[in-house]
Amino acid sequence: MSSIGTGYDLSSSTYSLDGRIFQVEYAMKAVDNSGLCIGLRAKDGIVLAISKLVHSKLLVPKSNKRIASVDQHIGMVCPGLIADGKALIKRARAEAQNYKDNFRMPISGKMIADRMGQFVQAYTLYSSVRPFGCSTLIATYDSVGPSLYMIDPSGVYWGYFGCAVGKNKQIAKAEIEKLKLNELTSRQAVMEVARIMYSVMEDDIKDRDYEIEYTWICDESDKKHVEVPSDLIEEAERKAKESLDDDDDDDMDDE
Amino acid sequence: MNTYPNPFSEAISYQRMEQYDQEHLESLSNISPMTRTQQPIVTGTSVLAVKYKDGIMMTTDCLASYGSLARFKNIERMIKVGNSTIIGASGDMSDFQYITYLMDKLMTKEYNANNGQPLAPENIYEYLSQVMYQRRNKFDPLWNALVVGGYQDGKSFLGYVNLRGTTYQSDTIATGYGAYIAQPLLRNAVEKKNGELFTEEEAKKLLDDCMRVLFYRDARSLNKLQRATVTAAGVTISEPYSLETEWGFAEHIRGYGA
Amino acid sequence: MISEPIPTAQPARQMANRFDPYEDNGGTTMALAGEDFCIVAADTRQSDGYHINCRYAPKAHQLSDKTVIGTSGFYADGICLVKRIKQRMEWYYHQHDKVMSTPALAQLLSVMLYQKRFFPYYCFTILGGLDEEGKGCVFDYDSVGNVERVKYQAEGSGKELLQPFLDSQIGLKNRATDDVLDLTEEKAIKIVKDAFSSVTERDIHTGDCVEIYIIRKDGIECEKYPLKRD
């Protein structure tokens, strides 16, 4: 980071001497501060989850949702700066409706990911704007089946089997890589997501108020993006906590 | 007032002005005011609907006519909006498809809002009525007579709205030719029940009987129809089916070229 | 030099059938003012030509504790007008922290109708209620906002039948003797019921039921009186 402080990080419209755009990289740092967000593509659907700190006891439980629907078949979550995420969701809804206005059919996952990628990328070109301080996970279920995309603050996007964004994303990614996502059902994926969430965030959140939001879009949900049924969440979280206790016990035994 | 000589007077050609005037006026005489939907083109005939014990039952046939031509014989004239409302349409089918699009747009917005308060049939009906009335105010009507049926929280809803934004709610509704032929039959059946509601079987039979009469008498109808219900269980729109008809009497008709 | 006469623009070809934005849904409304009460009544039938659309489509609407409006003619315009008035009353309430009085409403209504002078609300409106002194008042309108304060009035499809009857029974017109009218509430309601029963007999657009709003200083009461349904 030798070039930091030499003036090349003040605008995203200028490259640094070694060809980087620092403003975009800073935006990625903003994303890293977010609560952990996981997306898994199982064989019959997608599961999205995000953990968030509840910063005030005065908030109504389960209010201030972070995962949003863009159309019936599209779910979206933007870990990072919340307000930036809201702007992206608004844009995505406009894109989805605009596509319908023109073609009278729902937009495909590939198209919405591409249009949002272009939109995000445009905010890395000008000195008058700031890149989006959030990554974007898009879960869709269309004619080609379930797909999961993630867009960087740089505008780059890829399709994923599984991805993790935010605090401790490296550990979460390592856990995700162990899964056989092609064989997992969405129900099983919910279990795995909860397990990973709890095992990863345990350390820094333990004593603080937090909530985890789960949504899915799968055959069971009729290919619609909806919240995961509460009984399934309860079961998944119970099992996740149990496995944590088991680990603790194991640790004790080791000692 | 002083007048100054026009320095360009030489350049003005009255001949050309005259020619311009002539062309301009000719082109003016050929244009007419901007035209909007002045008449329906591809049309659907009657929609019938009644309240019954479990909710709403509605029937339409599957025909879209082009004038007197039976142009499209496999058209759906009822749409599901949300989980507790159906809309049935007579009149212009392209306008109805636009209404279908508007409903999808409205419901997508509601879906995204995810506020746990689904739009009630009354809300959808009000929205639709306002759209119809606003379009008539613009002299650009959606050329339809629509029936909105719904069932939510144990309450039945049945409403009508047409291309002028006229609205009413009633236990029986029939549009188009059905307003002449079926509505009296429907009202008669209701009044015979003395305040009691039809059972599902009674409602089915009543609507089928009305559709049969309409098929006999309405030249723009088809013996291929669909039946929709809205109940606590949600919305169902049946596959197309046909009614038994009896044409034996035709043999005995004398006169009229027979 | 102009050699030939310039042809004038021809009027645009007449459209074969232009969209007619109006419908006549019929219906009769009336109102009469007593000393300290007012009555507004409207039948509930909605018709379209020879069709009866619906036997209960209310045409009289309560606007406040002191005012009731009745509209007949084109139902959609009537509903729109009432909706807009209610909106304006709410704005008035929030701005001035009081409910709009009947005479104020009467003036507003006239303005709102006249604003659509060149694409009128095709409805015949009567506004009835109590004025600021607690006296019964009736305002009668045409479709473009002409307004007149009267003692009693009939409007809508049955007004030609109804108005002469009211002239006789309430206005006491053309009497040989000097009758004095002591218009009590009971008497007024009786007259209204008789009036609507009679109109229903001869006007096909009126019938099914009449809603009679009785406006008193301590509140409004609505009485439903069945009419013939034929």
Side-chain angles (χ1 to χ4, degrees), chain B:
Chain B
M1 204 174 79
N2 288 319
T3 53
Y4 299 94
N6 183 346
F8 301 113
S9 61
E10 297 288 300
I12 295 174
S13 154
Y14 283 98
Q15 197 110 42
R16 266 172 51 200
M17 276 177 65
E18 192 186 327
Q19 199 185 336
Y20 173 83
D21 282 353
Q22 192 134 3
E23 284 169 12
H24 189 65
L25 285 170
E26 270 169 23
S27 68
L28 263 183
S29 66
N30 287 333
I31 61 165
S32 48
M34 184 164 75
T35 55
R36 299 189 173 90
T37 309
Q38 304 284 354
Q39 54 183 327
I41 308 291
V42 176
T43 58
T45 184
S46 324
V47 179
L48 309 185
V50 289
K51 281 187 187 170
Y52 76 107
K53 205 153 59 60
D54 308 329
I56 298 294
M57 195 177 284
M58 190 186 284
T59 330
T60 57
D61 66 21
C62 301
L63 179 66
S65 309
Y66 178 70
S68 59
L69 174 72
R71 181 66 182 80
F72 302 103
K73 299 171 83 167
N74 195 202
I75 288 285
E76 280 209 15
R77 297 202 283 124
M78 290 180 287
I79 52 161
K80 171 177 181 279
V81 181
N83 292 318
S84 51
T85 309
I86 36 170
I87 300 177
S90 51
D92 191 278
M93 285 297 109
S94 67
D95 283 349
F96 177 55
Q97 285 173 6
Y98 173 69
I99 288 165
T100 305
Y101 154 77
L102 280 186
M103 289 298 117
D104 176 77
K105 194 166 165 172
L106 175 70
M107 295 318 279
T108 303
K109 234 176 135 182
E110 284 298 311
Y111 187 88
N112 290 342
N114 189 217
N115 51 20
Q117 290 184 312
L119 286 186
E122 287 88 337
N123 306 134
I124 291 166
Y125 176 66
E126 182 65 27
Y127 179 87
L128 200 56
S129 308
Q130 291 299 323
V131 169
M132 297 300 277
Y133 183 66
Q134 280 163 21
R135 287 292 292 261
R136 91 107 216 187
N137 283 345
K138 289 190 211 162
F139 273 77
D140 187 12
L142 296 169
W143 214 287
N144 298 105
L146 303 163
V147 183
V148 178
Y151 187 84
Q152 200 172 79
D153 303 328
K155 235 170 57 241
S156 293
F157 177 87
L158 192 54
Y160 166 99
V161 58
N162 70 7
L163 74 164
R164 299 190 177 91
T166 303
T167 54
Y168 59 84
Q169 293 168 39
S170 179
D171 291 351
T172 62
I173 292 180
T175 71
Y177 217 86
Y180 293 88
I181 287 187
Q183 184 69 291
L185 300 173
L186 295 172
R187 285 189 184 151
N188 207 251
V190 168
E191 281 177 20
K192 267 195 191 139
K193 292 287 284 183
N194 229 248
E196 206 183 313
L197 287 168
F198 298 120
T199 63
E200 184 173 353
E201 287 311 311
E202 284 171 332
K204 260 186 201 171
K205 175 153 189 320
L206 175 62
L207 286 180
D208 279 354
D209 286 347
C210 288
M211 289 305 274
R212 187 179 293 109
V213 178
L214 279 170
F215 178 59
Y216 283 139
R217 287 294 169 183
D218 178 2
R220 304 283 174 267
S221 68
L222 188 69
N223 190 11
K224 181 178 179 188
L225 34 139
Q226 283 177 297
R227 175 169 46 222
T229 56
V230 200
T231 62
V235 178
T236 54
I237 301 178
S238 77
E239 286 302 307
Y241 65 99
S242 292
L243 295 167
E244 293 271 313
T245 49
E246 169 60 50
W247 294 97
F249 64 88
E251 297 248 348
H252 309 292
I253 296 176
R254 292 288 172 264
Y256 303 105

Side-chain angles (χ1 to χ4, degrees), chain C:
Chain C
M1 193 197 85
I2 299 171
S3 51
E4 282 176 45
I6 297 170
T8 50
Q10 297 296 310
R13 193 168 48 83
Q14 274 285 303
M15 219 69 66
N17 49 354
R18 230 171 102 76
F19 169 61
D20 176 6
Y22 293 116
E23 206 169 90
D24 183 2
N25 302 115
T28 305
T29 61
M30 64 155 289
L32 59 87
E35 195 46 44
D36 58 349
F37 70 95
C38 181
I39 290 178
V40 178
D43 74 311
T44 64
R45 174 173 294 182
Q46 189 197 94
S47 41
D48 182 11
Y50 289 114
H51 293 292
I52 296 170
N53 282 342
C54 176
R55 298 195 192 279
Y56 186 71
K59 280 184 278 290
H61 304 269
Q62 185 177 338
L63 297 177
S64 72
D65 288 346
K66 299 226 168 345
T67 319
V68 173
I69 189 174
T71 66
S72 56
F74 181 30
Y75 191 79
D77 273 352
I79 291 296
C80 179
L81 181 64
V82 170
K83 206 176 233 176
R84 285 186 55 210
I85 290 164
K86 284 183 175 169
Q87 174 75 273
R88 293 293 293 267
M89 286 179 74
E90 188 157 330
W91 289 344
Y92 182 98
Y93 178 76
H94 290 310
Q95 277 199 356
H96 301 108
D97 200 19
K98 66 179 181 192
V99 177
M100 216 169 183
S101 69
T102 308
L105 254 169
Q107 183 56 34
L108 174 69
L109 189 50
S110 168
V111 170
M112 286 174 72
L113 286 166
Y114 191 75
Q115 276 171 346
K116 274 177 72 68
R117 172 62 181 79
F118 297 106
F119 183 22
Y121 283 126
Y122 186 56
C123 51
F124 309 103
T125 313
I126 297 180
L127 194 72
L130 301 180
D131 64 13
E132 280 142 322
E133 290 154 25
K135 289 199 169 80
C137 58
V138 170
F139 296 88
D140 175 42
Y141 299 81
D142 73 358
S143 52
V144 288
N146 186 326
V147 58
E148 183 183 15
R149 182 167 174 168
V150 290
K151 285 291 267 184
Y152 57 90
Q153 186 65 225
E155 276 294 357
S157 59
K159 83 147 181 273
E160 290 85 350
L161 298 170
L162 227 174
Q163 191 66 31
F165 176 73
L166 298 181
D167 281 335
S168 158
Q169 295 301 306
I170 302 173
L172 303 181
K173 298 283 163 64
N174 307 306
R175 300 258 169 144
T177 52
D178 290 334
D179 296 336
V180 185
L181 180 74
D182 177 27
L183 189 62
T184 61
E185 208 181 287
E186 291 71 31
K187 196 166 175 181
I189 294 172
K190 255 172 99 170
I191 289 174
V192 170
K193 287 178 179 172
D194 280 352
F196 271 89
S197 302
S198 309
V199 170
T200 301
E201 197 62 33
R202 294 284 179 174
D203 176 22
I204 59 166
H205 301 301
T206 303
D208 295 325
C209 182
V210 58
E211 285 185 323
I212 306 166
Y213 283 88
I214 306 126
I215 304 145
R216 308 188 192 92
K217 72 171 190 304
D218 51 352
I220 293 180
E221 190 190 328
C222 176
E223 184 184 336
K224 286 185 174 67
Y225 178 69
L227 297 171
K228 280 168 78 171
R229 291 150 64 89
D230 57 3

Side-chain angles (χ1 to χ4, degrees), chain A residues 115-255:
Chain A
R115 292 197 180 181
M116 291 314 291
Q118 288 187 40
F119 183 69
V120 170
Q121 192 272 151
Y123 279 72
T124 67
L125 295 172
Y126 308 98
S127 57
S128 55
V129 292
R130 155 177 81 67
F132 285 97
C134 51
S135 283
T136 305
L137 270 66
I138 299 176
T140 68
Y141 201 147
D142 56 26
S143 52
V144 300
S147 41
L148 171 67
Y149 294 90
M150 188 182 75
I151 308 170
D152 264 358
S154 67
V156 136
Y157 69 95
W158 303 104
Y160 286 86
F161 284 109
C163 51
V165 182
K167 284 199 188 98
N168 300 325
K169 67 174 177 191
Q170 287 307 340
I171 315 171
K173 273 192 208 168
E175 287 293 321
I176 292 171
E177 279 167 19
K178 290 181 202 160
L179 301 173
K180 288 180 179 150
L181 285 160
N182 274 326
E183 294 165 21
L184 239 51
T185 64
S186 296
R187 269 184 173 270
Q188 290 167 319
V190 172
M191 302 289 168
E192 297 299 341
V193 167
R195 184 180 60 74
I196 297 170
M197 276 284 179
Y198 276 92
S199 68
V200 167
M201 68 178 192
E202 237 261 321
D203 300 332
D204 54 317
I205 273 187
K206 229 179 346 202
D207 310 319
R208 300 167 69 182
D209 243 359
Y210 63 89
E211 272 174 9
I212 305 175
E213 231 177 287
Y214 303 85
T215 67
W216 69 2
I217 175 166
C218 56
D219 292 336
E220 193 181 330
S221 75
D222 205 16
K223 296 175 187 177
K224 286 183 174 126
H225 177 246
V226 295
E227 281 153 35
V228 175
S230 52
D231 53 339
L232 183 57
I233 294 179
E234 274 168 37
E235 186 190 341
E237 295 198 330
R238 198 188 67 241
K239 282 189 179 159
K241 283 172 191 160
E242 277 169 15
S243 73
L244 275 185
D245 294 342
D246 290 348
D247 289 348
D248 290 349
D249 293 345
D250 294 346
D251 295 345
M252 302 269 254
D253 295 341
D254 293 343
E255 278 162 22

